[in-house]
Amino acid sequence: MTAKHVFITGGASGIGFGMAQGFAQAGHKITLSDINKEALDNAVSKLRSQFDVDVQGVELDVTNSEQLASAPSRVDAPVDILVNNAGIQFVSALEQFPEDKWRLIIDILLCGPAMLTKAFLPSMYECNFGRIINVGSIHSLVASPYKSAYVSAKHGLLGFSKTIALESAEHDVTINTLCPSYVKTPLVENQIMAQAQNHGITEEEVINTIMLKPMPKKAFIDLSELADTALFLCSPAAKNITAQAITIDGGWTAH
């Protein structure tokens, strides 16, 4: 595959940065975006030092409509591959779930990807090439207690992807959703602490009896697995793979 321009939201850490490393190692031009300017600058510097590729950073709040709409004008080349990764988590029973947190999660995890995709689609259609990778979750497919907003948003991402796949079918544009089980990132580390508090158990018990219990392989997903899967979905071999939930769950959904 010839070098493409990849735009990654939430790219300063965790899954976003891991995806960026995978695409950079494969020789692609990278634009990282993140709401945290300091973390973004550090991530851009780290990528530049690790790989001999063009890397830039764009400060972006995925809840800000103006910033989302103007994103294409803030990069120096058309975006070929969009990775919608930015996310947050909040764990609570619905009765105690703050309404503003519930709405914020939906805004970041569902509205943000939709509006950023809307912004980049015209140039993808013009170039007759585009690959959109949504970072979903095992919770795009199954539910867990205390995560009503997160599960709702991640389920919604699948419906959004199916719809855009139909709308973009006449172009060489695909949209797919990666659905990993737990990946050891700062976001998941925070979930472990929150779950321990909610259930009154140790963090080790959270990992073994809640997070990894439904997974036959009993292991966290590695960042490289997500990056390599995304690279395959952007390759010519995957040009007709669209509207799919690509499940990387160690057998979780085999039950």
Side-chain angles (χ1 to χ4, degrees):
M1 181 171 59
T2 58
K4 303 294 184 184
H5 182 192
V6 187
F7 189 104
I8 303 172
T9 67
S13 63
I15 290 175
F17 188 72
M19 299 272 275
Q21 288 177 306
F23 277 105
Q25 189 171 32
H28 298 288
K29 172 184 171 68
I30 309 293
T31 295
L32 294 181
S33 75
D34 206 280
I35 194 172
N36 186 326
K37 180 66 162 59
E38 182 179 357
L40 178 63
D41 290 343
N42 289 338
V44 169
S45 296
K46 188 174 180 179
L47 269 187
R48 286 174 176 167
S49 68
Q50 288 179 325
F51 305 101
D52 184 23
V53 294
D54 186 356
V55 182
Q56 62 176 299
V58 172
E59 191 175 357
L60 180 70
D61 177 355
V62 297
T63 69
N64 185 304
S65 298
E66 291 183 0
Q67 290 187 25
L68 291 170
S70 66
S73 67
R74 299 175 64 195
V75 295
D76 60 9
V79 167
D80 304 298
I81 299 166
L82 170 62
V83 180
N84 287 310
N85 166 73
I88 62 168
Q89 176 63 282
F90 189 83
V91 178
S92 172
L94 184 59
E95 308 94 279
Q96 287 84 43
F97 213 120
E99 181 179 347
D100 60 338
K101 287 283 189 183
W102 215 98
R103 293 182 182 276
L104 180 62
I105 288 172
I106 299 296
D107 205 4
I108 292 173
L109 271 62
L110 185 55
C111 298
M115 294 303 101
L116 197 58
T117 298
K118 177 183 177 181
F120 283 119
L121 267 180
S123 64
M124 290 182 176
Y125 288 167
E126 186 177 342
C127 297
N128 197 39
F129 182 88
R131 298 290 180 264
I132 302 161
I133 309 290
N134 295 319
V135 178
S137 165
I138 189 68
H139 288 110
S140 296
L141 304 164
V142 300
S144 292
Y146 310 112
K147 298 180 181 180
S148 56
Y150 185 87
V151 171
S152 297
K154 293 298 188 182
H155 271 64
L157 206 54
L158 296 186
F160 167 70
S161 299
K162 290 178 182 180
T163 304
I164 303 310
L166 296 177
E167 294 180 10
S168 64
E170 65 184 274
H171 305 276
D172 186 10
V173 172
T174 66
I175 177 168
N176 293 288
T177 305
L178 300 183
C179 299
S181 49
Y182 290 103
V183 183
K184 204 73 174 291
T185 64
L187 186 68
V188 167
E189 295 280 8
N190 290 334
Q191 285 185 56
I192 292 170
M193 289 187 288
Q195 290 270 29
Q197 292 172 358
N198 270 320
H199 294 281
I201 58 179
T202 67
E203 293 184 10
E204 190 67 24
E205 286 175 310
V206 170
I207 293 172
N208 294 324
T209 66
I210 296 178
M211 288 190 165
L212 299 185
K213 184 178 180 180
M215 183 182 183
K217 281 187 171 289
K218 307 293 183 191
F220 287 100
I221 304 301
D222 193 80
L223 291 172
S224 64
E225 296 176 61
L226 297 179
D228 288 347
T229 304
L231 281 163
F232 167 71
L233 290 172
C234 296
S235 72
K239 66 181 180 180
N240 285 311
I241 299 177
T242 191
Q244 300 304 304
I246 310 298
T247 310
I248 311 168
D249 70 347
W252 185 322
T253 48
H255 294 288

